[in-house]
Amino acid sequence: MKIIIAGAGAVGTHLAKLLSREKIDCTLIDDDEERLAGLGDYDVMTYHAQPTSIQALKDAGVDGADLLVGVTPEESANITCCTLGHALGARKTVARIDNYEYLSVQHTELFRKLGIDSLIYPEVLAAQDIINGLKQSWVRQRWDVHNGALILLGIKLRKTAEILNQPLKDLCGPDDPYHIVAIKRGGETIIPGGLDQLSENDLAYFMTTPDYIPYIRKIVGKEHYADVQNVIIMGGGKTAVRAALTMPDYMNVKIIERDAARCEKLNELLSGQDTMVIHGDGRDLGLLEEEGIRNTQAFVALTGNAETNILTCLTAKKLGIRKTVAMVENLDYVEMAESLDIGTIINKKTVAASHIFQMLMKADVRNMRQLMLVDADVAEFIAAEGSRVTRKPVKDLGLPSGVAIGGLVRDGKGILVNGNTQINAGDSVMVFCHEHQLSKIEKSFKKISPLNAFKL
């Protein structure tokens, strides 16, 4: 497999590093030699050139590329690069954009005619994660599968949880309404088995269905957490705008922005929205008190500075805010932010890279996410007719160590999986595994040719 990435910015370099770890042939094109020099420790071919140069694309081998990714800072350059790459022979292309209008379904065919298979807007993806994190103040991370047929909840366990120190086989039986699919304990990631137990301060990931979310809240001891109604956002960048525009109607939003000109732009972008824009510094305790921080249930820090976001979230917690969200773009700070108990951590480049990475899978993968805090991946595979996973019950599939199936969606209904579950062709199956193991399991979901069927 051969991948060409145009643009050695945050998303491009992070994706290149992921591909390097997976031993995938990757070439990174950029016109800035300094950015390319930072990848010297990785098995990535770098090429100093303009990403929109036809000759540069040819020299990089675009005619044999399985995927061309345009992730430069310039939307027009990404679209041009992908259009040229498609014409020169790239099998698939994906372009990073900044125009929300382009994501409309009615424009999908237009971009396909241009040779662009997929569009990615990292700020929109990050805003979705923020909104999901605010829907339940007691949850670190939430991911809805098939419009909420299945729900993944990442929850920090405190001593008030009633499910601590008990074998999971006694908690998550065939008839129980949830499965524990991943655990982060200190620096260790666990894809648990029946004998594992939950401990205080674990970050545990629950797979469940919508009806049982209140039950999960009870057993993890989070019923005393106030639901989010009032939200203060520090920083008025693109992510803040997308979050404000998609915020549920029952949430009241204030955005604090230091730049006066940006405040005027925010008022223009958010006209018609019930959002208050405040010119000021979100680090100013007096301003926070004046704007009702003590009557606010959630504080979201979205400035371009990870240190500022972390420190202001810590300050908000000291002022009594239970729900804090921090944008942490520097991956070196993510572990620190988690150890400081910041709350929900958002990283645009990991969200974007996961979206792109799923396009590399050979099986039918509808969604894929890197669970950044637990060094694990989750993917939604569609079981093909005659695939290995449809031939035996789950307990007899011989899943590799560190791989678990948490649930599936069949005919629009979420179903939790146990050892006796029989996966059918067409089922959407949620698979959890340690990082870099998805390639081991994806072949089990692909259609098997008649020549190989006898090997089963």
Side-chain angles (χ1 to χ4, degrees):
M1 182 175 290
K2 181 177 178 60
I3 314 300
I4 296 176
I5 302 172
V11 175
T13 53
H14 180 68
L15 181 60
K17 291 174 183 178
L18 287 179
L19 296 173
S20 171
R21 292 172 189 148
E22 293 288 336
K23 309 299 181 185
I24 294 174
D25 182 4
C26 176
T27 299
L28 184 59
I29 306 174
D30 199 277
D31 58 359
D32 188 319
E33 285 189 286
E34 288 187 14
R35 287 200 290 259
L36 294 174
L39 287 161
D41 294 334
Y42 294 88
D43 187 16
V44 176
M45 182 76 71
T46 59
Y47 190 37
H48 180 224
Q50 285 286 348
T52 54
S53 164
I54 293 176
Q55 190 58 52
L57 291 171
K58 287 182 176 180
D59 291 345
V62 72
D63 59 333
D66 295 283
L67 179 66
L68 170 64
V69 181
V71 284
T72 76
E74 299 295 329
E75 175 185 77
S76 58
N78 297 330
I79 292 174
T80 299
C81 175
C82 288
T83 300
L84 292 173
H86 172 78
L88 293 170
R91 189 168 66 87
K92 285 184 180 180
T93 66
V94 56
R96 177 179 180 171
I97 59 168
D98 294 318
N99 189 333
Y100 187 72
E101 177 190 15
Y102 292 168
L103 293 177
S104 173
V105 175
Q106 69 188 58
H107 298 139
T108 301
E109 188 58 31
L110 168 63
F111 283 101
R112 281 184 180 159
K113 288 179 180 178
L114 291 174
I116 301 172
D117 297 287
S118 183
L119 299 171
I120 186 168
Y121 193 157
E123 287 76 13
V124 169
L125 298 175
Q128 290 171 352
D129 278 2
I130 292 168
I131 300 301
N132 283 337
L134 295 177
K135 286 180 180 177
Q136 273 94 34
S137 60
W138 47 280
V139 167
R140 291 289 176 93
Q141 186 175 8
R142 169 175 169 155
W143 188 31
D144 291 12
V145 182
H146 269 271
N147 297 317
L150 286 173
I151 309 289
L152 177 67
L153 302 173
I155 303 171
K156 189 79 168 183
L157 301 179
R158 307 299 186 187
K159 61 183 178 181
T160 52
E162 62 185 60
I163 55 176
L164 302 179
N165 307 315
Q166 303 172 57
L168 293 184
K169 64 182 178 64
D170 297 335
L171 296 174
C172 310
D175 299 322
D176 287 302
Y178 66 92
H179 287 164
I180 307 294
V181 294
I183 302 169
K184 177 67 174 292
R185 181 174 299 152
E188 181 185 8
T189 295
I190 303 167
I191 303 297
L195 298 179
D196 287 300
Q197 300 183 17
L198 296 169
S199 302
E200 184 180 350
N201 293 322
D202 281 354
L203 177 60
Y205 283 80
F206 293 70
M207 176 63 74
T208 189
T209 52
D211 292 343
Y212 289 102
I213 290 178
Y215 176 74
I216 302 294
R217 185 175 188 172
K218 174 182 178 298
I219 63 175
V220 298
K222 304 281 187 175
E223 290 181 298
H224 59 291
Y225 277 59
D227 292 331
V228 174
Q229 290 184 315
N230 300 313
V231 182
I232 291 179
I233 298 177
M234 181 179 73
K238 294 178 184 177
T239 304
V241 171
R242 298 318 318 172
L245 288 171
T246 53
M247 199 73 70
D249 292 338
Y250 63 86
M251 292 186 188
N252 303 308
V253 183
K254 294 180 180 180
I255 298 178
I256 301 176
E257 168 56 45
R258 295 177 63 185
D259 185 86
R262 181 61 182 173
C263 286
E264 292 183 12
K265 184 65 174 178
L266 288 171
N267 281 318
E268 177 186 332
L269 293 171
L270 299 173
S271 62
Q273 294 290 123
D274 188 18
T275 300
M276 181 182 294
V277 178
I278 300 161
H279 178 219
D281 190 336
R283 298 170 295 181
D284 184 340
L285 292 179
L287 177 62
L288 292 176
E289 292 277 10
E290 184 180 329
E291 294 303 330
I293 187 72
R294 297 188 186 276
N295 294 317
T296 297
Q297 293 79 43
F299 183 86
V300 184
L302 301 178
T303 76
N305 188 293
E307 297 98 320
T308 297
N309 294 340
I310 292 170
L311 290 173
T312 50
C313 281
L314 286 174
T315 300
K317 279 186 170 290
K318 289 182 179 179
L319 293 173
I321 306 299
R322 286 191 179 274
K323 182 65 179 182
T324 57
V325 180
M327 181 80 79
V328 182
E329 285 301 280
N330 189 332
L331 288 174
D332 294 334
Y333 291 166
V334 169
E335 193 71 29
M336 179 184 70
E338 167 59 18
S339 68
L340 291 172
D341 219 10
I342 289 300
T344 299
I345 298 171
I346 303 295
N347 184 283
K348 289 184 294 186
K349 59 189 175 187
T350 60
V351 175
S354 293
H355 178 86
I356 295 168
F357 200 81
Q358 79 180 56
M359 297 183 68
L360 306 179
M361 308 297 286
K362 295 177 182 178
D364 189 352
V365 181
R366 299 295 168 86
N367 289 295
M368 176 191 162
R369 293 297 298 273
Q370 179 187 11
L371 302 180
M372 179 175 54
L373 297 179
V374 291
D375 301 323
D377 295 323
V378 54
E380 178 187 355
F381 286 95
I382 309 299
E385 187 74 42
S387 58
R388 287 184 173 88
V389 295
T390 64
R391 305 244 172 161
K392 300 175 182 178
V394 169
K395 64 182 179 181
D396 298 326
L397 290 177
L399 296 175
S401 176
V403 175
I405 294 177
L408 61 83
V409 178
R410 180 179 297 159
D411 299 326
K413 180 182 179 182
I415 301 171
L416 295 178
V417 169
N418 60 60
N420 296 319
T421 301
Q422 177 67 54
I423 297 172
N424 296 338
D427 287 348
S428 297
V429 184
M430 300 307 299
V431 178
F432 298 80
C433 64
H434 288 296
E435 281 187 320
H436 319 310
Q437 282 194 309
L438 282 179
S439 57
K440 295 181 181 179
I441 192 67
E442 68 163 328
K443 60 185 178 183
S444 297
F445 287 86
K446 294 191 298 181
K447 184 176 182 179
I448 299 175
S449 68
L451 291 177
N452 292 328
F454 74 94
K455 297 179 181 180
L456 294 174

